[in-house]
Amino acid sequence: MAIEFAKYQGLGNDFILIDNRHSSEPAITPEQAVDWCDRHFGIGADGVIFALPGQNETDYTMRIFNSDGSEPEMCGNGIRCLAKFIADLEGSEAKTQYRIHTLAGVITPELRSDGQVKVDMGVPRLLAAEIPTTLTASDAKVIDVPIEVADKSWSVTCVSMGNPHCITFVEDVAAVALETVGPQFEHNKAFPQRTNTEFIQVIRRDYVKMRVWERGAGVTLACGTGACAAVVAGVLVGKCDRATAVELPGGVLEIEWAEVSGRIYMTGPAQQVFTGFIAN
């Protein structure tokens, strides 16, 4: 049986979207998602996202399988793509704002008239137990803490956006051997649920460059939750303003960490690439 899909991308972070509104269980298995994400023998993507029925008074539920078959709590670029996908499915009935249930909590994307999608990403979690990491005491924040990775000492700050992030600031982000260092961060014993890792070069207080190694996906062109975590980390260590543009290999995300509410807002593009059918 063939399954219909749509391919979307947000700053080059690309996803296979499945209309799964008929069932609360994903239409394919994690093992099938690995095959679909293969860039040579499948469709090719960083992950497969399912639009499932809403729960707990939300409009929809988001599930995602990474290209390695693992399931993350949430994906920032992915939820922007999901919002566009849902609006395309609903057509003339589409809303401009949706409440999406995720494993990281309820996330609210808003489709703007200029084609951008602004997402209320919620409040970042900063305690070691919430990341989770063993780098400090469970009830302490992880700010500028040393860690040994790849025979080098790195100073890191950790943030959870519902999924774990380890951020380190470097002089030249282009010089980081991401394919070598990234996996060693991801699987470091200090991160019991593995971690996403962001390498940040500060250009100005309101503009940074970022490269990312994503847990379960490897090198990607962009990471929305990672960009949010990076700005939070930048504010915590005194390097960034609360409103900061994050330049990724795939483009720029606008991030704001509101001082009063403590909520993070991410604004960026999402675009349909193509649609098709694939044998299940």
Side-chain angles (χ1 to χ4, degrees), residues 221-234:
L221 296 179
C223 176
T225 55
C228 293
V231 172
V232 171

Side-chain angles (χ1 to χ4, degrees), residues 13-24:
N13 204 189
D14 56 344
F15 305 95
I16 300 162
L17 278 294
I18 304 296
D19 180 359
N20 214 117
R21 293 175 293 175
H22 61 284
S23 171
S24 60

Side-chain angles (χ1 to χ4, degrees), residues 3 18-20 22 25-29 32 50 280:
I3 294 180
I18 304 296
D19 180 359
N20 214 117
H22 61 284
E25 289 298 318
I28 66 170
T29 66
Q32 288 173 303
F50 307 88
N280 186 16

Side-chain angles (χ1 to χ4, degrees), residues 3-170:
I3 294 180
E4 187 173 7
F5 70 90
K7 177 80 174 284
Y8 282 71
Q9 63 86 16
L11 298 184
N13 204 189
D14 56 344
F15 305 95
I16 300 162
L17 278 294
I18 304 296
D19 180 359
N20 214 117
R21 293 175 293 175
H22 61 284
S23 171
S24 60
E25 289 298 318
I28 66 170
T29 66
E31 292 75 20
Q32 288 173 303
V34 172
D35 293 337
W36 285 26
C37 289
D38 189 288
R39 296 189 183 278
H40 298 287
F41 297 99
I43 299 166
D46 292 321
V48 180
I49 296 175
F50 307 88
L52 298 102
Q55 50 185 297
N56 301 326
E57 299 183 345
T58 58
D59 298 302
Y60 290 91
T61 296
M62 173 186 183
R63 296 275 300 275
I64 176 171
F65 295 151
N66 283 325
S67 58
D68 71 348
S70 61
E71 182 171 6
E73 297 85 353
M74 221 284 287
C75 174
N77 288 317
I79 203 163
R80 293 201 318 277
C81 290
L82 177 62
K84 293 281 278 190
F85 176 61
I86 290 169
D88 289 342
L89 287 176
E90 293 185 347
S92 61
E93 303 297 319
K95 301 192 295 185
T96 58
Q97 189 176 85
Y98 296 95
R99 283 171 46 83
I100 309 295
H101 181 274
T102 78
L103 295 179
V106 177
I107 307 295
T108 307
E110 177 186 355
L111 288 87
R112 302 195 326 190
S113 59
D114 62 0
Q116 298 281 94
V117 182
K118 182 177 182 179
V119 185
D120 179 348
M121 300 286 285
V123 177
R125 302 161 198 172
L126 305 177
L127 301 183
E130 298 172 320
I131 307 297
T133 180
T134 59
L135 283 172
T136 64
S138 62
D139 59 349
K141 296 178 182 179
V142 187
I143 302 174
D144 259 347
V145 173
I147 184 174
E148 292 289 328
V149 175
D151 299 320
K152 178 181 175 181
S153 180
W154 306 76
S155 181
V156 302
T157 297
C158 296
V159 177
S160 172
M161 292 301 305
N163 56 352
H165 294 272
C166 176
I167 301 97
T168 185
F169 292 86
V170 299

Side-chain angles (χ1 to χ4, degrees), residues 180-192:
T180 301
V181 177
Q184 296 186 56
F185 268 98
E186 178 182 354
H187 297 281
N188 190 279
K189 64 182 181 180
F191 302 102

